[in-house]
Amino acid sequence: MREFIFTIDYERNVDPVMDVFIDYPETHSRTIACNVTRDGMWRLERVAGPETALEQLDDVYDNPVQCTECIGTRNCKTDWTYEVIGSDPGVRTVYSYRSEAGDCHSIPRLAIDHVGRGVLVETERRGSRCEWRLLLCSDAGVDGLFEEMKSELREGLTVEFRQLSSPSYWVDEAVTLAELPPEQQAAVEHGYYRTPRDTSLTDLAETLDVSRSTLQYRLQRAEAWIVRSFVTRSMGPVQADEEVAEGGRLRIGRSGV
């Protein structure tokens, strides 16, 4: 398996979705799940930011004027299905589907064309930058993908190839219940983290046959680990200005007039 990471920087007025992130730099989105075929792409995305920014994103997706995953100069008007499936103040979970109509091809579609099926895709948007992370079965065809992206690149976009290496992001960023310390798994199972709690710290300590102070210390350590993992995942990769990549980094851009 190979991991391919690159970023695209957008000037204002070249992409309506990215304009919202540029105007509201505290807004952030990350793909939860993404499936891609030659016929279309559907995904879940978590978006957080001011309500004004989220409402503007609604308007963009409800009235699509172009493919927001395409970087080329073709007439990439596309059909979207867009639905908010979960909403809290400042946070939304969004389902979207877009078809690969005509000769308008998204970045994930280009990846499938060049490296074959089995591609996993994740994106993260913040400010003027969208970071793409692709997990590939091999690096066969990646050179062709590089070349097509360079030839497709329209004015106002800059592509920076950041990393082509063995998988690290996909492994390091995964946090599952199985990784939690046993005391914290037990705390979850016994309802310690529910509101209101189903059990107290003292009762949980008795159930686990450990002292209350020991249990409190272990839970605090585990909670600190979870918070660090969350912050690293939410804030780290897309904001890192210096990232070590095999063979260095290649930056290609075209400025608008």
Side-chain angles (χ1 to χ4, degrees):
M1 302 294 293
R2 301 290 280 172
E3 175 180 84
F4 174 30
I5 299 176
F6 60 94
T7 61
I8 301 177
D9 280 292
Y10 292 77
E11 295 180 7
R12 192 181 297 276
N13 298 324
V14 296
D15 184 282
V17 169
M18 292 305 299
D19 281 349
V20 177
F21 287 87
I22 292 171
D23 291 339
Y24 298 89
E26 64 271 42
T27 304
H28 170 261
S29 75
R30 181 187 287 270
T31 302
I32 301 173
C34 183
N35 295 283
V36 186
T37 70
R38 285 186 169 85
D39 297 321
M41 178 182 69
W42 55 104
R43 70 183 178 189
L44 282 177
E45 190 170 17
R46 183 71 50 81
V47 187
E51 284 297 323
T52 303
L54 300 181
E55 291 169 1
Q56 289 187 21
L57 286 173
D58 286 341
D59 291 340
V60 172
Y61 284 118
D62 286 339
N63 301 282
V65 295
Q66 67 184 59
C67 165
T68 57
E69 279 79 24
C70 303
I71 59 174
T73 57
R74 310 178 198 190
N75 182 22
C76 284
K77 186 173 181 179
T78 185
D79 294 325
W80 274 96
T81 298
Y82 172 79
E83 183 175 348
V84 176
I85 64 173
S87 179
D88 290 305
V91 182
R92 294 186 187 177
T93 303
V94 178
Y95 168 86
S96 60
Y97 170 82
R98 68 167 299 273
S99 62
E100 294 284 351
D103 65 349
C104 175
H105 299 325
S106 65
I107 290 174
R109 166 64 188 271
L110 294 177
I112 288 179
D113 286 346
H114 286 279
V115 304
R117 289 182 288 183
V119 177
L120 291 181
V121 177
E122 183 175 285
T123 62
E124 185 173 2
R125 300 177 191 264
R126 190 190 300 274
S128 64
R129 173 172 294 186
C130 180
E131 181 166 271
W132 289 80
R133 308 180 189 102
L134 277 58
L135 185 64
L136 316 172
C137 293
S138 72
D139 56 11
V142 170
D143 288 344
L145 177 58
F146 282 2
E147 292 304 315
E148 183 156 4
M149 289 180 64
K150 287 190 291 184
S151 64
E152 287 270 322
L153 195 65
R154 67 178 182 268
E155 289 185 347
L157 275 62
T158 302
V159 174
E160 184 174 352
F161 301 109
R162 301 177 69 84
Q163 183 170 311
L164 178 61
S165 65
S166 299
S168 59
Y169 169 82
W170 302 84
V171 176
D172 295 340
E173 296 299 321
V175 179
T176 68
L177 181 61
E179 294 178 78
L180 293 178
E183 292 86 358
Q184 194 148 25
Q185 292 187 47
V188 172
E189 292 166 1
H190 286 82
Y192 177 75
Y193 289 107
R194 291 178 185 165
T195 304
R197 287 174 173 166
D198 292 343
T199 188
S200 67
L201 185 65
T202 299
D203 291 340
L204 183 60
E206 291 178 358
T207 300
L208 299 176
D209 194 25
V210 298
S211 70
R212 187 181 186 280
S213 60
T214 297
L215 178 60
Q216 184 175 32
Y217 171 72
R218 290 175 180 174
L219 291 181
Q220 287 174 344
R221 281 207 317 175
E223 290 160 7
W225 171 74
I226 290 171
V227 170
R228 285 196 302 270
S229 298
F230 174 80
V231 171
T232 299
R233 180 173 175 83
S234 298
M235 303 293 291
V238 78
Q239 293 181 317
D241 290 328
E242 295 299 329
E243 181 173 346
V244 178
E246 289 184 7
R249 295 186 295 177
L250 175 61
R251 186 174 176 85
I252 301 167
R254 294 181 183 171
S255 298
V257 177

